[in-house]
Short mmCIF file of all heavy atoms in Angstrom, two decimals:
data_model
loop_
_atom_site.label_atom_id
_atom_site.label_comp_id
_atom_site.label_asym_id
_atom_site.label_seq_id
_atom_site.Cartn_x
_atom_site.Cartn_y
_atom_site.Cartn_z
N MET A 797 21.35 24.18 -17.46
CA MET A 797 20.70 23.22 -18.40
C MET A 797 21.40 21.83 -18.10
O MET A 797 22.54 21.74 -17.71
CB MET A 797 20.94 23.68 -19.86
CG MET A 797 20.36 24.98 -20.20
SD MET A 797 20.73 25.43 -21.90
CE MET A 797 19.89 26.94 -22.04
N ALA A 798 20.65 20.83 -18.33
CA ALA A 798 21.13 19.47 -18.09
C ALA A 798 20.51 18.43 -18.98
O ALA A 798 19.38 18.66 -19.56
CB ALA A 798 20.99 19.08 -16.68
N TRP A 799 21.23 17.33 -19.20
CA TRP A 799 20.64 16.18 -19.88
C TRP A 799 20.61 15.04 -18.80
O TRP A 799 21.51 14.88 -18.05
CB TRP A 799 21.51 15.75 -20.98
CG TRP A 799 21.49 16.62 -22.22
CD1 TRP A 799 22.34 17.60 -22.60
CD2 TRP A 799 20.48 16.50 -23.25
NE1 TRP A 799 21.95 18.16 -23.71
CE2 TRP A 799 20.74 17.54 -24.19
CE3 TRP A 799 19.33 15.77 -23.52
CZ2 TRP A 799 20.01 17.74 -25.35
CZ3 TRP A 799 18.56 16.00 -24.61
CH2 TRP A 799 18.88 16.94 -25.52
N HIS A 800 19.50 14.40 -18.83
CA HIS A 800 19.32 13.21 -17.96
C HIS A 800 18.94 12.03 -18.80
O HIS A 800 18.49 12.19 -19.98
CB HIS A 800 18.21 13.49 -16.89
CG HIS A 800 18.38 14.67 -16.03
ND1 HIS A 800 18.77 14.58 -14.73
CD2 HIS A 800 18.36 15.99 -16.32
CE1 HIS A 800 18.88 15.77 -14.24
NE2 HIS A 800 18.58 16.68 -15.24
N ARG A 801 19.06 10.82 -18.30
CA ARG A 801 18.53 9.65 -19.02
C ARG A 801 17.95 8.63 -18.05
O ARG A 801 18.27 8.54 -16.91
CB ARG A 801 19.69 9.09 -19.73
CG ARG A 801 20.80 8.43 -18.98
CD ARG A 801 21.87 7.89 -19.86
NE ARG A 801 23.00 7.31 -19.05
CZ ARG A 801 24.17 6.94 -19.58
NH1 ARG A 801 24.37 7.13 -20.86
NH2 ARG A 801 25.13 6.31 -18.80
N GLN A 802 17.04 7.83 -18.68
CA GLN A 802 16.43 6.78 -17.86
C GLN A 802 16.37 5.52 -18.73
O GLN A 802 15.69 5.50 -19.80
CB GLN A 802 15.05 7.19 -17.39
CG GLN A 802 14.44 6.20 -16.52
CD GLN A 802 13.25 6.69 -15.77
OE1 GLN A 802 12.63 7.72 -16.17
NE2 GLN A 802 12.88 6.10 -14.65
N ALA A 803 17.05 4.49 -18.28
CA ALA A 803 17.00 3.17 -18.92
C ALA A 803 15.88 2.34 -18.42
O ALA A 803 15.48 2.60 -17.24
CB ALA A 803 18.36 2.47 -18.79
N PRO A 804 15.38 1.37 -19.15
CA PRO A 804 14.38 0.57 -18.68
C PRO A 804 14.70 -0.05 -17.28
O PRO A 804 15.74 -0.71 -17.14
CB PRO A 804 14.18 -0.53 -19.75
CG PRO A 804 14.60 0.12 -20.97
CD PRO A 804 15.79 1.05 -20.57
N GLY A 805 13.78 -0.01 -16.33
CA GLY A 805 14.00 -0.59 -15.08
C GLY A 805 14.91 0.13 -14.10
O GLY A 805 15.27 -0.40 -13.02
N LYS A 806 15.51 1.28 -14.63
CA LYS A 806 16.47 2.01 -13.79
C LYS A 806 15.94 3.44 -13.51
O LYS A 806 15.06 3.95 -14.04
CB LYS A 806 17.76 2.07 -14.54
CG LYS A 806 18.49 0.80 -14.75
CD LYS A 806 19.87 1.03 -15.28
CE LYS A 806 20.56 -0.37 -15.43
NZ LYS A 806 21.96 -0.21 -15.96
N LYS A 807 16.57 4.01 -12.38
CA LYS A 807 16.19 5.38 -11.98
C LYS A 807 16.72 6.40 -13.12
O LYS A 807 17.74 6.15 -13.74
CB LYS A 807 16.77 5.70 -10.64
CG LYS A 807 16.07 4.90 -9.52
CD LYS A 807 16.60 5.33 -8.17
CE LYS A 807 16.01 4.60 -7.02
NZ LYS A 807 16.51 4.93 -5.69
N ARG A 808 16.09 7.47 -13.14
CA ARG A 808 16.60 8.56 -14.02
C ARG A 808 17.94 9.12 -13.39
O ARG A 808 18.05 9.21 -12.17
CB ARG A 808 15.58 9.70 -14.07
CG ARG A 808 16.00 10.82 -15.08
CD ARG A 808 14.87 11.84 -15.30
NE ARG A 808 13.68 11.23 -15.75
CZ ARG A 808 12.60 12.01 -16.18
NH1 ARG A 808 12.67 13.21 -16.12
NH2 ARG A 808 11.56 11.38 -16.62
N GLU A 809 18.94 9.32 -14.27
CA GLU A 809 20.19 9.72 -13.78
C GLU A 809 20.65 11.04 -14.53
O GLU A 809 20.40 11.14 -15.78
CB GLU A 809 21.26 8.65 -13.91
CG GLU A 809 21.54 8.27 -15.31
CD GLU A 809 22.76 7.23 -15.38
OE1 GLU A 809 23.53 7.19 -14.42
OE2 GLU A 809 22.88 6.69 -16.52
N ALA A 810 21.42 11.91 -13.87
CA ALA A 810 21.96 13.08 -14.57
C ALA A 810 23.14 12.68 -15.41
O ALA A 810 24.02 11.90 -14.90
CB ALA A 810 22.31 14.15 -13.58
N VAL A 811 23.20 13.08 -16.62
CA VAL A 811 24.33 12.77 -17.48
C VAL A 811 25.33 13.89 -17.58
O VAL A 811 26.53 13.74 -17.52
CB VAL A 811 23.79 12.46 -18.94
CG1 VAL A 811 24.96 12.27 -19.94
CG2 VAL A 811 22.90 11.27 -18.87
N ALA A 812 24.79 15.13 -17.78
CA ALA A 812 25.67 16.28 -17.99
C ALA A 812 24.98 17.54 -17.63
O ALA A 812 23.69 17.66 -17.81
CB ALA A 812 26.21 16.31 -19.37
N HIS A 813 25.65 18.55 -17.06
CA HIS A 813 25.09 19.80 -16.78
C HIS A 813 25.95 20.96 -17.50
O HIS A 813 27.18 20.68 -17.54
CB HIS A 813 25.10 20.10 -15.22
CG HIS A 813 24.28 19.26 -14.48
ND1 HIS A 813 23.03 19.62 -13.91
CD2 HIS A 813 24.48 17.98 -14.00
CE1 HIS A 813 22.53 18.67 -13.22
NE2 HIS A 813 23.34 17.62 -13.27
N ILE A 814 25.34 22.02 -17.81
CA ILE A 814 26.11 23.17 -18.28
C ILE A 814 25.45 24.34 -17.60
O ILE A 814 24.25 24.58 -17.66
CB ILE A 814 26.19 23.27 -19.75
CG1 ILE A 814 27.10 24.51 -20.19
CG2 ILE A 814 24.81 23.44 -20.47
CD1 ILE A 814 27.44 24.42 -21.60
N PHE A 815 26.30 25.19 -16.96
CA PHE A 815 25.83 26.28 -16.18
C PHE A 815 25.90 27.64 -16.99
O PHE A 815 26.51 27.63 -18.04
CB PHE A 815 26.57 26.33 -14.85
CG PHE A 815 26.43 25.01 -14.08
CD1 PHE A 815 27.46 24.12 -14.16
CD2 PHE A 815 25.32 24.84 -13.34
CE1 PHE A 815 27.30 22.88 -13.43
CE2 PHE A 815 25.21 23.56 -12.61
CZ PHE A 815 26.17 22.65 -12.72
N SER A 816 25.28 28.73 -16.43
CA SER A 816 25.17 29.86 -17.19
C SER A 816 26.53 30.50 -17.60
O SER A 816 26.63 31.05 -18.65
CB SER A 816 24.45 30.92 -16.37
OG SER A 816 24.96 31.20 -15.18
N ALA A 817 27.56 30.26 -16.83
CA ALA A 817 28.89 30.80 -17.18
C ALA A 817 29.62 29.89 -18.10
O ALA A 817 30.79 30.19 -18.51
CB ALA A 817 29.68 30.97 -15.90
N GLY A 818 29.06 28.71 -18.41
CA GLY A 818 29.71 27.81 -19.37
C GLY A 818 30.40 26.59 -18.74
O GLY A 818 30.83 25.73 -19.45
N SER A 819 30.51 26.55 -17.44
CA SER A 819 31.12 25.43 -16.89
C SER A 819 30.30 24.18 -16.94
O SER A 819 29.07 24.25 -17.13
CB SER A 819 31.45 25.71 -15.38
OG SER A 819 30.25 25.94 -14.69
N THR A 820 30.93 23.03 -17.01
CA THR A 820 30.21 21.79 -17.26
C THR A 820 30.50 20.73 -16.16
O THR A 820 31.53 20.76 -15.46
CB THR A 820 30.53 21.19 -18.61
OG1 THR A 820 32.05 20.99 -18.65
CG2 THR A 820 30.14 22.07 -19.70
N LYS A 821 29.67 19.74 -16.07
CA LYS A 821 29.79 18.67 -15.09
C LYS A 821 29.26 17.44 -15.75
O LYS A 821 28.19 17.54 -16.38
CB LYS A 821 29.12 18.99 -13.76
CG LYS A 821 29.16 17.92 -12.78
CD LYS A 821 28.27 18.33 -11.50
CE LYS A 821 28.27 17.28 -10.49
NZ LYS A 821 27.48 17.70 -9.22
N TYR A 822 30.00 16.29 -15.63
CA TYR A 822 29.54 15.07 -16.31
C TYR A 822 29.46 13.92 -15.28
O TYR A 822 30.20 13.87 -14.30
CB TYR A 822 30.49 14.66 -17.38
CG TYR A 822 30.63 15.70 -18.53
CD1 TYR A 822 31.50 16.69 -18.57
CD2 TYR A 822 29.72 15.54 -19.62
CE1 TYR A 822 31.58 17.60 -19.62
CE2 TYR A 822 29.74 16.48 -20.66
CZ TYR A 822 30.66 17.53 -20.64
OH TYR A 822 30.72 18.38 -21.71
N ALA A 823 28.54 12.99 -15.63
CA ALA A 823 28.62 11.75 -14.89
C ALA A 823 29.91 10.96 -15.20
O ALA A 823 30.33 11.04 -16.37
CB ALA A 823 27.37 10.91 -15.23
N ASP A 824 30.40 10.20 -14.33
CA ASP A 824 31.66 9.43 -14.51
C ASP A 824 31.48 8.55 -15.71
O ASP A 824 32.43 8.30 -16.50
CB ASP A 824 32.07 8.61 -13.34
CG ASP A 824 32.55 9.56 -12.20
OD1 ASP A 824 32.86 10.66 -12.46
OD2 ASP A 824 32.59 9.01 -11.07
#
């Protein structure tokens, strides 16, 4: 699962991911 975001005039970017085992990954 993941959250992404898109600001006006910008490309969609990944914000955070969470994987089935519970590990996570975040944008800086």
